[in-house]
């Protein structure tokens, strides 16, 4: 049945990652991914990908362990923010983040914190270090993987359908693809809030632990960038978990690495793939299709199903 789409959210803005090795993790994001430092506050360092228009892309927070903190999602307008807040009802208003105004802070059913906001500070390059062309946020770094922007967040969840209802009913995200096991259980769902084919993803957490992260993904311009990134990671002793290769689901060209703090980071390129159809029909992948592996036959590596952050024994 067709349901008119409510586009109250614009895009995923930034994400907070926890790391037990803050200096090594900062070096990974700056030297190997090509981000720049755009602020410091308390135990956090703020990092910016060159084409993101807002103050920061990643808030890297020193902690006793790894994992994900808040995900910030920008509303489409001040009115849209008020509408989402009124419908969710269980969150609270805070104003406690660098470069972001009033935040409606809520949690998904698995305990991941989501901050919705409208007011945001634009990224400002250091004097004399800005881009040559005024229609991009910062100078192209020419360093490491040169990630352009935050692409998506993939959470682990104990109850993926419940998290899905939060996304579709409270955030008005739209599911585009899913995995349906032979038992009928849905084990993973990909959602979009924008014209991209996905922005937020939930995957079953086999450990039964709440609030964990599977991975955060950053977009590169080309597939070739992903191959170059693999060489950069290899040269610098970063654990390459799997790839470069192409996903069957969403067809994303990918590389997965573990940053020094343990969080899984994906470098991704989905080419020009957008979901423009207002009546897009949810694609379901079966357990047998999933067992075939990735698009060109590479079997999914075991740790892809077992590693999440923070780690659990
Ligand atoms: Fe991903």
């Amino acid at each position: 049945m067709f349901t008119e789409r409510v586009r109250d959210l614009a895009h995923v803005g930034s994400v907070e990652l926890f790391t037990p090795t803050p200096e090594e993790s900062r070096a990974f994001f700056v030297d190997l991914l090509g981000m720049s430092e755009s602020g410091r506050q308390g135990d956090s360092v703020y990092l910016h990908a060159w084409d993101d228009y807002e103050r920061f892309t990643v808030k890297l927070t020193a902690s006793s362990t790894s994992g994900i903190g808040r995900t910030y999602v920008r509303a489409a307008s001040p009115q849209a923010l008020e509408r989402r807040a009124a419908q969710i009802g269980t969150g609270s208003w805070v104003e406690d983040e660098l470069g972001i105004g009033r935040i409606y802070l809520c949690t998904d059913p698995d305990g991941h914190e989501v901050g919705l906001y409208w007011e945001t500070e634009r990224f400002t390059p250091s004097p004399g270090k800005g881009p040559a062309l005024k229609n991009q946020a910062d100078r192209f770094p020419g360093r490491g993987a040169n990630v352009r922007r935050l692409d998506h967040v993939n959470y682990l969840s104990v109850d993926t359908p419940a998290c899905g209802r939060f996304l579709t009913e409270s955030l008005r995200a739209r599911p585009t693809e899913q995995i349906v096991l032979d038992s009928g259980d849905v084990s993973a769902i990909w959602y979009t809030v924008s014209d991209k084919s996905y922005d937020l993803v939930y995957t079953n957490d086999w450990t039964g632990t709440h609030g964990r992260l599977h991975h955060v993904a950053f977009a590169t311009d080309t597939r070739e960038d992903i191959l170059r990134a693999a060489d950069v990671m290899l040269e610098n002793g970063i654990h390459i978990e799997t790839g470069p290769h192409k996903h069957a689901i969403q067809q994303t060209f990918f590389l997965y690495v573990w940053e020094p703090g343990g969080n899984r980071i994906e470098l991704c390129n989905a080419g020009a793939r957008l979901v423009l159809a207002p009546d897009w029909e949810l694609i379901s992948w079966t357990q047998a299709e999933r067992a075939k592996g990735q698009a060109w036959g590479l079997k999914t590596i075991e740790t892809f199903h077992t590693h999440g952050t923070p780690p659990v024994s």
Side-chain angles (χ1 to χ4, degrees):
M1 187 184 73
F2 176 71
T3 306
E4 186 179 11
R5 191 176 179 197
V6 175
R7 297 186 64 152
D8 275 354
L9 300 181
H11 63 91
V12 179
S14 54
V15 66
E16 180 180 25
L17 288 174
F18 297 122
T19 173
T21 59
E23 284 311 311
E24 292 85 347
S25 292
R26 179 198 173 279
F28 168 85
F29 283 99
V30 172
D31 300 335
L32 305 188
L33 293 196
M35 293 189 189
S36 65
E37 191 175 319
S38 60
R40 282 190 180 235
Q41 188 168 269
D43 292 331
S44 300
V45 56
Y46 293 79
L47 303 164
H48 177 257
W50 65 273
D51 201 31
D52 272 339
Y53 70 92
E54 296 178 275
R55 171 79 183 256
F56 68 94
T57 304
V58 172
K59 176 183 182 181
L60 190 63
T61 300
S63 176
S64 59
T65 187
S66 51
I68 186 167
R70 279 186 207 168
T71 304
Y72 288 111
V73 183
R74 191 162 187 225
S77 67
Q79 296 81 2
L81 177 60
E82 296 297 333
R83 271 195 299 272
R84 286 306 100 222
Q87 182 170 352
I88 296 167
T90 53
S92 58
W93 290 101
V94 299
E95 193 165 347
D96 62 354
E97 188 57 271
L98 189 73
I100 299 180
R102 224 161 53 108
I103 297 163
Y104 188 73
L105 190 60
C106 52
T107 55
D108 71 12
D110 205 69
H112 304 95
E113 277 196 345
V114 178
L116 308 180
Y117 65 99
W118 166 250
E119 296 162 9
T120 191
E121 181 184 332
R122 259 44 180 194
F123 174 80
T124 309
S126 307
K129 293 189 173 176
L133 302 177
K134 65 181 182 183
N135 55 2
Q136 75 184 45
D138 198 8
R139 179 179 294 203
F140 180 77
R143 181 175 68 252
N146 296 298
V147 296
R148 177 181 276 262
R149 57 173 173 75
L150 177 63
D151 191 85
H152 62 271
V153 181
N154 192 143
Y155 306 104
L156 288 170
S157 63
V158 173
D159 188 342
T160 292
C163 289
R165 285 191 292 276
F166 170 76
L167 280 195
T168 55
E169 293 168 15
S170 297
L171 301 190
R172 295 303 186 109
R174 185 166 58 148
T176 54
E177 303 198 22
Q178 64 179 355
I179 298 170
V180 183
L181 304 178
D182 293 347
S183 63
D185 293 336
V186 175
S187 65
I189 320 181
W190 284 254
Y191 296 89
T192 180
V193 298
S194 64
D195 289 328
K196 290 164 59 234
S197 62
Y198 63 118
D199 299 295
L200 297 166
V201 187
Y202 282 101
T203 305
N204 279 355
D205 192 329
W206 67 280
T207 69
T209 313
H210 290 277
R212 296 209 304 154
L213 173 69
H214 192 271
H215 66 271
V216 174
F218 301 96
T220 62
D221 281 346
T222 68
R223 290 190 189 194
E224 183 64 33
D225 287 332
I226 305 277
L227 302 178
R228 176 67 72 193
D231 287 334
V232 169
M233 299 302 161
L234 178 65
E235 295 279 17
N236 287 277
I238 297 297
H239 175 59
I240 295 175
E241 184 183 28
T242 184
H245 206 84
K246 176 179 165 173
H247 279 297
I249 298 172
Q250 301 287 0
Q251 297 198 25
T252 310
F253 196 76
F254 66 81
L255 173 73
Y256 290 93
V257 300
W258 296 356
E259 58 91 14
N263 296 301
R264 179 188 287 108
I265 301 296
E266 179 184 12
L267 301 176
C268 67
N269 184 272
R273 192 165 185 271
L274 300 172
V275 166
L276 299 178
D279 54 352
W280 174 266
E281 291 179 6
L282 176 61
I283 304 292
S284 294
W285 298 85
T286 66
Q287 197 167 327
E289 288 167 337
R290 186 69 173 147
K292 286 181 185 170
Q294 303 300 335
W296 300 319
L298 179 78
K299 295 301 173 197
T300 305
I301 195 165
E302 188 59 25
T303 54
F304 205 70
H305 301 298
T306 58
H307 179 78
T309 51
V312 292
S313 55

